[in-house]
Amino acid sequence: MRKPRPLPFVFINMAITADGKIATATRAVSSFGSRRDKEHLFELRATADAVMAGARTVDLNPVNLGPGPAKYRRQRIRHGLREYNLRIIVSRSGSVNPDAGIFKQRFSPIIILTTASAGQSRLKKLRTLADEVKICGANDINLPRALRWLRKKWNIQRLLSEGGGELDGALFRAGLVDELHLTLCPKIFGGRSAPTIAEGVGAARIADAATFTIKSARRYGDELFLVFSSAQRASSHNKSERRFK
């Protein structure tokens, strides 16, 4: 009998410009994909037990991380999933905006992953906002430990991350990403400080880089929809992906 995966299957979905940016330098523009890109986002959410994002992504954008219109909720049910996915916010400091739109729509549980460095005052406030607040480290979030907990406590088998770059960068560095979905958009933002899909401490050597193989490339209009599979986690990726082919 095959042993269950101790970690969820982690896949990332991001739209990027032709120069690799996910937002302008001011962060004023972070949504720039086509209608088809928006549909693709909901199609991927329809295969996930949970959708995860960093605190700034939730604070700065009108997102609720939910499954979207009814047709996508029906897709979830056909996939054997709950109608509404779990929602996860990641914040090392616990500085989540309590007025963010996600907290105004309570259709599914909200989980906040944070650290002890958030302090008791912030943790107390977070517990009034979320269904569960999990401390996953003293000063930095231990992502492997957090994902094991999500798998065990909440039975999350497929976890979709939607950024931002700090969260995705941490997932890449920890070797936790099974699959990467990129929508390549025909725009150039420029800007030295404009964020990319992998922020934070980068690889110092080629040997330290996260390595992927291209799985598919499709064109819709002027956008390219690319899917990459992790070279390191390819075998477990193939097993988890089978039911959604």
Side-chain angles (χ1 to χ4, degrees), residues 60-93:
L60 299 176
N61 300 281
V63 298
N64 62 37
L65 303 183
K71 72 174 184 177
Y72 299 107
R73 301 201 300 272
R74 290 194 293 270
Q75 286 181 22
R76 294 183 57 79
I77 293 171
R78 287 197 296 271
H79 290 149
L81 301 173
R82 295 178 182 272
E83 183 177 0
Y84 293 92
N85 57 270
L86 297 170
R87 297 171 291 166
I88 302 169
I89 301 170
V90 181
S91 176
R92 182 186 63 81
S93 65

PDB file of all heavy atoms in Angstrom, residues 60-93:
ATOM      1  N   LEU A  60      -3.513  44.353  -0.393  1.00  0.00           N
ATOM      2  CA  LEU A  60      -3.440  45.339  -1.473  1.00  0.00           C
ATOM      3  C   LEU A  60      -4.353  45.046  -2.649  1.00  0.00           C
ATOM      4  O   LEU A  60      -4.483  45.875  -3.545  1.00  0.00           O
ATOM      5  CB  LEU A  60      -1.991  45.439  -1.979  1.00  0.00           C
ATOM      6  CG  LEU A  60      -0.942  45.886  -0.951  1.00  0.00           C
ATOM      7  CD1 LEU A  60       0.446  45.842  -1.561  1.00  0.00           C
ATOM      8  CD2 LEU A  60      -1.267  47.283  -0.436  1.00  0.00           C
ATOM      9  N   ASN A  61      -4.988  43.886  -2.650  1.00  0.00           N
ATOM     10  CA  ASN A  61      -5.822  43.504  -3.787  1.00  0.00           C
ATOM     11  C   ASN A  61      -7.214  43.105  -3.319  1.00  0.00           C
ATOM     12  O   ASN A  61      -7.369  42.540  -2.228  1.00  0.00           O
ATOM     13  CB  ASN A  61      -5.183  42.332  -4.545  1.00  0.00           C
ATOM     14  CG  ASN A  61      -3.809  42.673  -5.085  1.00  0.00           C
ATOM     15  OD1 ASN A  61      -3.675  43.330  -6.105  1.00  0.00           O
ATOM     16  ND2 ASN A  61      -2.767  42.230  -4.387  1.00  0.00           N
ATOM     17  N   PRO A  62      -8.227  43.358  -4.126  1.00  0.00           N
ATOM     18  CA  PRO A  62      -9.602  42.974  -3.749  1.00  0.00           C
ATOM     19  C   PRO A  62      -9.848  41.488  -3.994  1.00  0.00           C
ATOM     20  O   PRO A  62     -10.589  41.096  -4.894  1.00  0.00           O
ATOM     21  CB  PRO A  62     -10.459  43.860  -4.658  1.00  0.00           C
ATOM     22  CG  PRO A  62      -9.622  44.041  -5.892  1.00  0.00           C
ATOM     23  CD  PRO A  62      -8.190  44.093  -5.411  1.00  0.00           C
ATOM     24  N   VAL A  63      -9.190  40.638  -3.222  1.00  0.00           N
ATOM     25  CA  VAL A  63      -9.295  39.191  -3.417  1.00  0.00           C
ATOM     26  C   VAL A  63      -9.934  38.539  -2.199  1.00  0.00           C
ATOM     27  O   VAL A  63      -9.785  39.016  -1.074  1.00  0.00           O
ATOM     28  CB  VAL A  63      -7.909  38.559  -3.679  1.00  0.00           C
ATOM     29  CG1 VAL A  63      -7.290  39.121  -4.941  1.00  0.00           C
ATOM     30  CG2 VAL A  63      -6.973  38.774  -2.498  1.00  0.00           C
ATOM     31  N   ASN A  64     -10.638  37.430  -2.447  1.00  0.00           N
ATOM     32  CA  ASN A  64     -11.148  36.650  -1.325  1.00  0.00           C
ATOM     33  C   ASN A  64     -10.625  35.219  -1.327  1.00  0.00           C
ATOM     34  O   ASN A  64     -10.938  34.440  -0.440  1.00  0.00           O
ATOM     35  CB  ASN A  64     -12.684  36.663  -1.299  1.00  0.00           C
ATOM     36  CG  ASN A  64     -13.308  36.044  -2.539  1.00  0.00           C
ATOM     37  OD1 ASN A  64     -12.799  35.063  -3.094  1.00  0.00           O
ATOM     38  ND2 ASN A  64     -14.434  36.605  -2.990  1.00  0.00           N
ATOM     39  N   LEU A  65      -9.819  34.863  -2.364  1.00  0.00           N
ATOM     40  CA  LEU A  65      -9.199  33.544  -2.507  1.00  0.00           C
ATOM     41  C   LEU A  65     -10.222  32.422  -2.636  1.00  0.00           C
ATOM     42  O   LEU A  65      -9.889  31.247  -2.419  1.00  0.00           O
ATOM     43  CB  LEU A  65      -8.242  33.251  -1.336  1.00  0.00           C
ATOM     44  CG  LEU A  65      -7.107  34.244  -1.100  1.00  0.00           C
ATOM     45  CD1 LEU A  65      -6.220  33.757   0.042  1.00  0.00           C
ATOM     46  CD2 LEU A  65      -6.286  34.468  -2.349  1.00  0.00           C
ATOM     47  N   GLY A  66     -11.450  32.761  -2.999  1.00  0.00           N
ATOM     48  CA  GLY A  66     -12.502  31.759  -3.123  1.00  0.00           C
ATOM     49  C   GLY A  66     -12.580  31.138  -4.504  1.00  0.00           C
ATOM     50  O   GLY A  66     -11.839  31.510  -5.416  1.00  0.00           O
ATOM     51  N   PRO A  67     -13.521  30.192  -4.685  1.00  0.00           N
ATOM     52  CA  PRO A  67     -13.600  29.441  -5.942  1.00  0.00           C
ATOM     53  C   PRO A  67     -14.259  30.185  -7.098  1.00  0.00           C
ATOM     54  O   PRO A  67     -14.215  29.721  -8.232  1.00  0.00           O
ATOM     55  CB  PRO A  67     -14.437  28.216  -5.547  1.00  0.00           C
ATOM     56  CG  PRO A  67     -15.298  28.717  -4.435  1.00  0.00           C
ATOM     57  CD  PRO A  67     -14.447  29.693  -3.673  1.00  0.00           C
ATOM     58  N   GLY A  68     -14.855  31.341  -6.810  1.00  0.00           N
ATOM     59  CA  GLY A  68     -15.445  32.112  -7.895  1.00  0.00           C
ATOM     60  C   GLY A  68     -16.867  31.693  -8.239  1.00  0.00           C
ATOM     61  O   GLY A  68     -17.584  31.123  -7.395  1.00  0.00           O
ATOM     62  N   PRO A  69     -17.290  31.948  -9.485  1.00  0.00           N
ATOM     63  CA  PRO A  69     -18.670  31.694  -9.898  1.00  0.00           C
ATOM     64  C   PRO A  69     -19.094  30.232  -9.757  1.00  0.00           C
ATOM     65  O   PRO A  69     -18.268  29.329  -9.599  1.00  0.00           O
ATOM     66  CB  PRO A  69     -18.672  32.122 -11.376  1.00  0.00           C
ATOM     67  CG  PRO A  69     -17.581  33.138 -11.477  1.00  0.00           C
ATOM     68  CD  PRO A  69     -16.519  32.656 -10.529  1.00  0.00           C
ATOM     69  N   ALA A  70     -20.407  30.026  -9.847  1.00  0.00           N
ATOM     70  CA  ALA A  70     -20.997  28.707  -9.581  1.00  0.00           C
ATOM     71  C   ALA A  70     -20.429  27.611 -10.461  1.00  0.00           C
ATOM     72  O   ALA A  70     -20.273  26.469 -10.012  1.00  0.00           O
ATOM     73  CB  ALA A  70     -22.519  28.792  -9.742  1.00  0.00           C
ATOM     74  N   LYS A  71     -20.103  27.915 -11.720  1.00  0.00           N
ATOM     75  CA  LYS A  71     -19.624  26.851 -12.607  1.00  0.00           C
ATOM     76  C   LYS A  71     -18.307  26.266 -12.114  1.00  0.00           C
ATOM     77  O   LYS A  71     -18.039  25.070 -12.302  1.00  0.00           O
ATOM     78  CB  LYS A  71     -19.504  27.335 -14.047  1.00  0.00           C
ATOM     79  CG  LYS A  71     -18.384  28.290 -14.343  1.00  0.00           C
ATOM     80  CD  LYS A  71     -18.309  28.552 -15.849  1.00  0.00           C
ATOM     81  CE  LYS A  71     -17.136  29.426 -16.226  1.00  0.00           C
ATOM     82  NZ  LYS A  71     -17.040  29.617 -17.697  1.00  0.00           N
ATOM     83  N   TYR A  72     -17.484  27.086 -11.472  1.00  0.00           N
ATOM     84  CA  TYR A  72     -16.232  26.571 -10.936  1.00  0.00           C
ATOM     85  C   TYR A  72     -16.460  25.799  -9.645  1.00  0.00           C
ATOM     86  O   TYR A  72     -15.729  24.844  -9.347  1.00  0.00           O
ATOM     87  CB  TYR A  72     -15.248  27.723 -10.708  1.00  0.00           C
ATOM     88  CG  TYR A  72     -14.922  28.461 -11.984  1.00  0.00           C
ATOM     89  CD1 TYR A  72     -15.433  29.735 -12.225  1.00  0.00           C
ATOM     90  CD2 TYR A  72     -14.137  27.870 -12.973  1.00  0.00           C
ATOM     91  CE1 TYR A  72     -15.153  30.412 -13.396  1.00  0.00           C
ATOM     92  CE2 TYR A  72     -13.857  28.545 -14.157  1.00  0.00           C
ATOM     93  CZ  TYR A  72     -14.370  29.809 -14.363  1.00  0.00           C
ATOM     94  OH  TYR A  72     -14.106  30.474 -15.535  1.00  0.00           O
ATOM     95  N   ARG A  73     -17.463  26.179  -8.891  1.00  0.00           N
ATOM     96  CA  ARG A  73     -17.801  25.409  -7.696  1.00  0.00           C
ATOM     97  C   ARG A  73     -18.346  24.039  -8.089  1.00  0.00           C
ATOM     98  O   ARG A  73     -18.070  23.041  -7.416  1.00  0.00           O
ATOM     99  CB  ARG A  73     -18.816  26.178  -6.838  1.00  0.00           C
ATOM    100  CG  ARG A  73     -18.307  27.551  -6.397  1.00  0.00           C
ATOM    101  CD  ARG A  73     -19.041  28.081  -5.195  1.00  0.00           C
ATOM    102  NE  ARG A  73     -20.468  28.239  -5.409  1.00  0.00           N
ATOM    103  CZ  ARG A  73     -21.039  29.335  -5.916  1.00  0.00           C
ATOM    104  NH1 ARG A  73     -20.293  30.363  -6.290  1.00  0.00           N
ATOM    105  NH2 ARG A  73     -22.344  29.419  -6.041  1.00  0.00           N
ATOM    106  N   ARG A  74     -19.074  23.981  -9.207  1.00  0.00           N
ATOM    107  CA  ARG A  74     -19.549  22.679  -9.712  1.00  0.00           C
ATOM    108  C   ARG A  74     -18.372  21.827 -10.161  1.00  0.00           C
ATOM    109  O   ARG A  74     -18.377  20.601  -9.972  1.00  0.00           O
ATOM    110  CB  ARG A  74     -20.544  22.882 -10.843  1.00  0.00           C
ATOM    111  CG  ARG A  74     -21.894  23.455 -10.394  1.00  0.00           C
ATOM    112  CD  ARG A  74     -22.948  23.327 -11.470  1.00  0.00           C
ATOM    113  NE  ARG A  74     -22.656  24.166 -12.625  1.00  0.00           N
ATOM    114  CZ  ARG A  74     -23.075  25.433 -12.760  1.00  0.00           C
ATOM    115  NH1 ARG A  74     -23.816  26.004 -11.809  1.00  0.00           N
ATOM    116  NH2 ARG A  74     -22.791  26.131 -13.838  1.00  0.00           N
ATOM    117  N   GLN A  75     -17.366  22.458 -10.771  1.00  0.00           N
ATOM    118  CA  GLN A  75     -16.161  21.718 -11.152  1.00  0.00           C
ATOM    119  C   GLN A  75     -15.498  21.101  -9.931  1.00  0.00           C
ATOM    120  O   GLN A  75     -15.045  19.947  -9.971  1.00  0.00           O
ATOM    121  CB  GLN A  75     -15.170  22.644 -11.857  1.00  0.00           C
ATOM    122  CG  GLN A  75     -15.546  23.021 -13.277  1.00  0.00           C
ATOM    123  CD  GLN A  75     -14.505  23.924 -13.918  1.00  0.00           C
ATOM    124  OE1 GLN A  75     -13.343  23.950 -13.507  1.00  0.00           O
ATOM    125  NE2 GLN A  75     -14.913  24.683 -14.920  1.00  0.00           N
ATOM    126  N   ARG A  76     -15.438  21.848  -8.838  1.00  0.00           N
ATOM    127  CA  ARG A  76     -14.843  21.332  -7.612  1.00  0.00           C
ATOM    128  C   ARG A  76     -15.576  20.078  -7.144  1.00  0.00           C
ATOM    129  O   ARG A  76     -14.947  19.081  -6.772  1.00  0.00           O
ATOM    130  CB  ARG A  76     -14.889  22.396  -6.508  1.00  0.00           C
ATOM    131  CG  ARG A  76     -14.033  23.623  -6.763  1.00  0.00           C
ATOM    132  CD  ARG A  76     -14.102  24.584  -5.576  1.00  0.00           C
ATOM    133  NE  ARG A  76     -13.686  23.930  -4.346  1.00  0.00           N
ATOM    134  CZ  ARG A  76     -12.432  23.722  -4.002  1.00  0.00           C
ATOM    135  NH1 ARG A  76     -11.456  24.122  -4.784  1.00  0.00           N
ATOM    136  NH2 ARG A  76     -12.148  23.107  -2.862  1.00  0.00           N
ATOM    137  N   ILE A  77     -16.872  20.131  -7.150  1.00  0.00           N
ATOM    138  CA  ILE A  77     -17.667  18.987  -6.703  1.00  0.00           C
ATOM    139  C   ILE A  77     -17.424  17.787  -7.615  1.00  0.00           C
ATOM    140  O   ILE A  77     -17.300  16.649  -7.145  1.00  0.00           O
ATOM    141  CB  ILE A  77     -19.155  19.372  -6.646  1.00  0.00           C
ATOM    142  CG1 ILE A  77     -19.372  20.412  -5.535  1.00  0.00           C
ATOM    143  CG2 ILE A  77     -20.022  18.136  -6.396  1.00  0.00           C
ATOM    144  CD1 ILE A  77     -20.742  21.032  -5.524  1.00  0.00           C
ATOM    145  N   ARG A  78     -17.320  18.022  -8.926  1.00  0.00           N
ATOM    146  CA  ARG A  78     -17.028  16.926  -9.846  1.00  0.00           C
ATOM    147  C   ARG A  78     -15.649  16.327  -9.585  1.00  0.00           C
ATOM    148  O   ARG A  78     -15.423  15.139  -9.826  1.00  0.00           O
ATOM    149  CB  ARG A  78     -17.117  17.402 -11.303  1.00  0.00           C
ATOM    150  CG  ARG A  78     -18.539  17.655 -11.786  1.00  0.00           C
ATOM    151  CD  ARG A  78     -18.609  17.721 -13.302  1.00  0.00           C
ATOM    152  NE  ARG A  78     -17.846  18.839 -13.833  1.00  0.00           N
ATOM    153  CZ  ARG A  78     -18.351  20.066 -14.026  1.00  0.00           C
ATOM    154  NH1 ARG A  78     -19.632  20.316 -13.718  1.00  0.00           N
ATOM    155  NH2 ARG A  78     -17.609  21.015 -14.532  1.00  0.00           N
ATOM    156  N   HIS A  79     -14.724  17.157  -9.085  1.00  0.00           N
ATOM    157  CA  HIS A  79     -13.386  16.669  -8.746  1.00  0.00           C
ATOM    158  C   HIS A  79     -13.357  15.957  -7.391  1.00  0.00           C
ATOM    159  O   HIS A  79     -12.302  15.487  -6.957  1.00  0.00           O
ATOM    160  CB  HIS A  79     -12.396  17.840  -8.701  1.00  0.00           C
ATOM    161  CG  HIS A  79     -12.089  18.430 -10.035  1.00  0.00           C
ATOM    162  ND1 HIS A  79     -11.771  19.768 -10.212  1.00  0.00           N
ATOM    163  CD2 HIS A  79     -12.066  17.879 -11.276  1.00  0.00           C
ATOM    164  CE1 HIS A  79     -11.559  20.009 -11.490  1.00  0.00           C
ATOM    165  NE2 HIS A  79     -11.735  18.878 -12.148  1.00  0.00           N
ATOM    166  N   GLY A  80     -14.490  15.913  -6.710  1.00  0.00           N
ATOM    167  CA  GLY A  80     -14.530  15.279  -5.396  1.00  0.00           C
ATOM    168  C   GLY A  80     -14.078  16.178  -4.273  1.00  0.00           C
ATOM    169  O   GLY A  80     -13.740  15.695  -3.178  1.00  0.00           O
ATOM    170  N   LEU A  81     -14.074  17.497  -4.508  1.00  0.00           N
ATOM    171  CA  LEU A  81     -13.658  18.468  -3.505  1.00  0.00           C
ATOM    172  C   LEU A  81     -14.868  19.151  -2.873  1.00  0.00           C
ATOM    173  O   LEU A  81     -15.984  19.077  -3.397  1.00  0.00           O
ATOM    174  CB  LEU A  81     -12.760  19.525  -4.148  1.00  0.00           C
ATOM    175  CG  LEU A  81     -11.482  19.017  -4.815  1.00  0.00           C
ATOM    176  CD1 LEU A  81     -10.784  20.154  -5.543  1.00  0.00           C
ATOM    177  CD2 LEU A  81     -10.558  18.375  -3.802  1.00  0.00           C
ATOM    178  N   ARG A  82     -14.634  19.835  -1.775  1.00  0.00           N
ATOM    179  CA  ARG A  82     -15.689  20.646  -1.178  1.00  0.00           C
ATOM    180  C   ARG A  82     -16.025  21.802  -2.107  1.00  0.00           C
ATOM    181  O   ARG A  82     -15.185  22.263  -2.884  1.00  0.00           O
ATOM    182  CB  ARG A  82     -15.237  21.196   0.177  1.00  0.00           C
ATOM    183  CG  ARG A  82     -15.000  20.137   1.239  1.00  0.00           C
ATOM    184  CD  ARG A  82     -14.518  20.787   2.524  1.00  0.00           C
ATOM    185  NE  ARG A  82     -14.224  19.805   3.561  1.00  0.00           N
ATOM    186  CZ  ARG A  82     -15.107  19.331   4.418  1.00  0.00           C
ATOM    187  NH1 ARG A  82     -16.359  19.777   4.371  1.00  0.00           N
ATOM    188  NH2 ARG A  82     -14.761  18.446   5.317  1.00  0.00           N
ATOM    189  N   GLU A  83     -17.255  22.297  -2.007  1.00  0.00           N
ATOM    190  CA  GLU A  83     -17.680  23.378  -2.901  1.00  0.00           C
ATOM    191  C   GLU A  83     -16.809  24.614  -2.747  1.00  0.00           C
ATOM    192  O   GLU A  83     -16.508  25.312  -3.724  1.00  0.00           O
ATOM    193  CB  GLU A  83     -19.142  23.732  -2.638  1.00  0.00           C
ATOM    194  CG  GLU A  83     -19.683  24.806  -3.568  1.00  0.00           C
ATOM    195  CD  GLU A  83     -21.151  25.109  -3.341  1.00  0.00           C
ATOM    196  OE1 GLU A  83     -21.766  24.473  -2.451  1.00  0.00           O
ATOM    197  OE2 GLU A  83     -21.697  25.987  -4.062  1.00  0.00           O
ATOM    198  N   TYR A  84     -16.379  24.891  -1.520  1.00  0.00           N
ATOM    199  CA  TYR A  84     -15.553  26.071  -1.244  1.00  0.00           C
ATOM    200  C   TYR A  84     -14.210  25.626  -0.672  1.00  0.00           C
ATOM    201  O   TYR A  84     -14.170  24.837   0.282  1.00  0.00           O
ATOM    202  CB  TYR A  84     -16.249  27.010  -0.255  1.00  0.00           C
ATOM    203  CG  TYR A  84     -17.497  27.657  -0.820  1.00  0.00           C
ATOM    204  CD1 TYR A  84     -18.754  27.073  -0.635  1.00  0.00           C
ATOM    205  CD2 TYR A  84     -17.422  28.836  -1.542  1.00  0.00           C
ATOM    206  CE1 TYR A  84     -19.891  27.666  -1.161  1.00  0.00           C
ATOM    207  CE2 TYR A  84     -18.556  29.440  -2.062  1.00  0.00           C
ATOM    208  CZ  TYR A  84     -19.784  28.848  -1.871  1.00  0.00           C
ATOM    209  OH  TYR A  84     -20.907  29.434  -2.390  1.00  0.00           O
ATOM    210  N   ASN A  85     -13.137  26.156  -1.231  1.00  0.00           N
ATOM    211  CA  ASN A  85     -11.798  25.825  -0.758  1.00  0.00           C
ATOM    212  C   ASN A  85     -11.454  26.542   0.538  1.00  0.00           C
ATOM    213  O   ASN A  85     -12.015  27.593   0.865  1.00  0.00           O
ATOM    214  CB  ASN A  85     -10.756  26.188  -1.822  1.00  0.00           C
ATOM    215  CG  ASN A  85     -10.821  27.654  -2.226  1.00  0.00           C
ATOM    216  OD1 ASN A  85     -11.549  28.000  -3.151  1.00  0.00           O
ATOM    217  ND2 ASN A  85     -10.077  28.515  -1.546  1.00  0.00           N
ATOM    218  N   LEU A  86     -10.537  25.962   1.281  1.00  0.00           N
ATOM    219  CA  LEU A  86      -9.957  26.639   2.434  1.00  0.00           C
ATOM    220  C   LEU A  86      -9.104  27.807   1.951  1.00  0.00           C
ATOM    221  O   LEU A  86      -8.605  27.812   0.824  1.00  0.00           O
ATOM    222  CB  LEU A  86      -9.087  25.676   3.236  1.00  0.00           C
ATOM    223  CG  LEU A  86      -9.782  24.471   3.868  1.00  0.00           C
ATOM    224  CD1 LEU A  86      -8.743  23.496   4.410  1.00  0.00           C
ATOM    225  CD2 LEU A  86     -10.729  24.912   4.961  1.00  0.00           C
ATOM    226  N   ARG A  87      -8.923  28.809   2.827  1.00  0.00           N
ATOM    227  CA  ARG A  87      -8.135  29.987   2.461  1.00  0.00           C
ATOM    228  C   ARG A  87      -7.059  30.219   3.511  1.00  0.00           C
ATOM    229  O   ARG A  87      -7.342  30.173   4.715  1.00  0.00           O
ATOM    230  CB  ARG A  87      -9.057  31.205   2.338  1.00  0.00           C
ATOM    231  CG  ARG A  87     -10.087  31.028   1.219  1.00  0.00           C
ATOM    232  CD  ARG A  87     -11.129  32.117   1.224  1.00  0.00           C
ATOM    233  NE  ARG A  87     -12.020  32.042   2.360  1.00  0.00           N
ATOM    234  CZ  ARG A  87     -12.847  33.027   2.727  1.00  0.00           C
ATOM    235  NH1 ARG A  87     -12.853  34.163   2.052  1.00  0.00           N
ATOM    236  NH2 ARG A  87     -13.643  32.872   3.776  1.00  0.00           N
ATOM    237  N   ILE A  88      -5.838  30.454   3.038  1.00  0.00           N
ATOM    238  CA  ILE A  88      -4.684  30.555   3.933  1.00  0.00           C
ATOM    239  C   ILE A  88      -3.948  31.864   3.672  1.00  0.00           C
ATOM    240  O   ILE A  88      -3.642  32.197   2.525  1.00  0.00           O
ATOM    241  CB  ILE A  88      -3.722  29.373   3.721  1.00  0.00           C
ATOM    242  CG1 ILE A  88      -4.452  28.049   3.961  1.00  0.00           C
ATOM    243  CG2 ILE A  88      -2.507  29.490   4.635  1.00  0.00           C
ATOM    244  CD1 ILE A  88      -3.670  26.828   3.521  1.00  0.00           C
ATOM    245  N   ILE A  89      -3.671  32.600   4.745  1.00  0.00           N
ATOM    246  CA  ILE A  89      -2.889  33.832   4.670  1.00  0.00           C
ATOM    247  C   ILE A  89      -1.586  33.609   5.425  1.00  0.00           C
ATOM    248  O   ILE A  89      -1.592  33.081   6.542  1.00  0.00           O
ATOM    249  CB  ILE A  89      -3.649  35.017   5.300  1.00  0.00           C
ATOM    250  CG1 ILE A  89      -4.994  35.227   4.587  1.00  0.00           C
ATOM    251  CG2 ILE A  89      -2.820  36.294   5.237  1.00  0.00           C
ATOM    252  CD1 ILE A  89      -5.904  36.218   5.290  1.00  0.00           C
ATOM    253  N   VAL A  90      -0.474  33.992   4.805  1.00  0.00           N
ATOM    254  CA  VAL A  90       0.841  33.806   5.403  1.00  0.00           C
ATOM    255  C   VAL A  90       1.411  35.168   5.772  1.00  0.00           C
ATOM    256  O   VAL A  90       1.523  36.058   4.925  1.00  0.00           O
ATOM    257  CB  VAL A  90       1.789  33.077   4.439  1.00  0.00           C
ATOM    258  CG1 VAL A  90       3.155  32.864   5.088  1.00  0.00           C
ATOM    259  CG2 VAL A  90       1.185  31.740   4.011  1.00  0.00           C
ATOM    260  N   SER A  91       1.755  35.339   7.041  1.00  0.00           N
ATOM    261  CA  SER A  91       2.319  36.611   7.510  1.00  0.00           C
ATOM    262  C   SER A  91       3.285  36.364   8.656  1.00  0.00           C
ATOM    263  O   SER A  91       2.865  36.023   9.763  1.00  0.00           O
ATOM    264  CB  SER A  91       1.217  37.570   7.958  1.00  0.00           C
ATOM    265  OG  SER A  91       1.770  38.756   8.501  1.00  0.00           O
ATOM    266  N   ARG A  92       4.568  36.519   8.396  1.00  0.00           N
ATOM    267  CA  ARG A  92       5.577  36.299   9.430  1.00  0.00           C
ATOM    268  C   ARG A  92       5.358  37.220  10.624  1.00  0.00           C
ATOM    269  O   ARG A  92       5.457  36.807  11.781  1.00  0.00           O
ATOM    270  CB  ARG A  92       6.973  36.525   8.835  1.00  0.00           C
ATOM    271  CG  ARG A  92       8.109  36.283   9.821  1.00  0.00           C
ATOM    272  CD  ARG A  92       9.454  36.663   9.215  1.00  0.00           C
ATOM    273  NE  ARG A  92       9.495  38.092   8.910  1.00  0.00           N
ATOM    274  CZ  ARG A  92       9.749  39.043   9.807  1.00  0.00           C
ATOM    275  NH1 ARG A  92       9.977  38.720  11.078  1.00  0.00           N
ATOM    276  NH2 ARG A  92       9.778  40.315   9.455  1.00  0.00           N
ATOM    277  N   SER A  93       5.044  38.488  10.349  1.00  0.00           N
ATOM    278  CA  SER A  93       4.908  39.484  11.421  1.00  0.00           C
ATOM    279  C   SER A  93       3.494  39.566  11.983  1.00  0.00           C
ATOM    280  O   SER A  93       3.264  40.241  12.989  1.00  0.00           O
ATOM    281  CB  SER A  93       5.308  40.862  10.896  1.00  0.00           C
ATOM    282  OG  SER A  93       4.401  41.287   9.879  1.00  0.00           O
TER     283      SER A  93
END
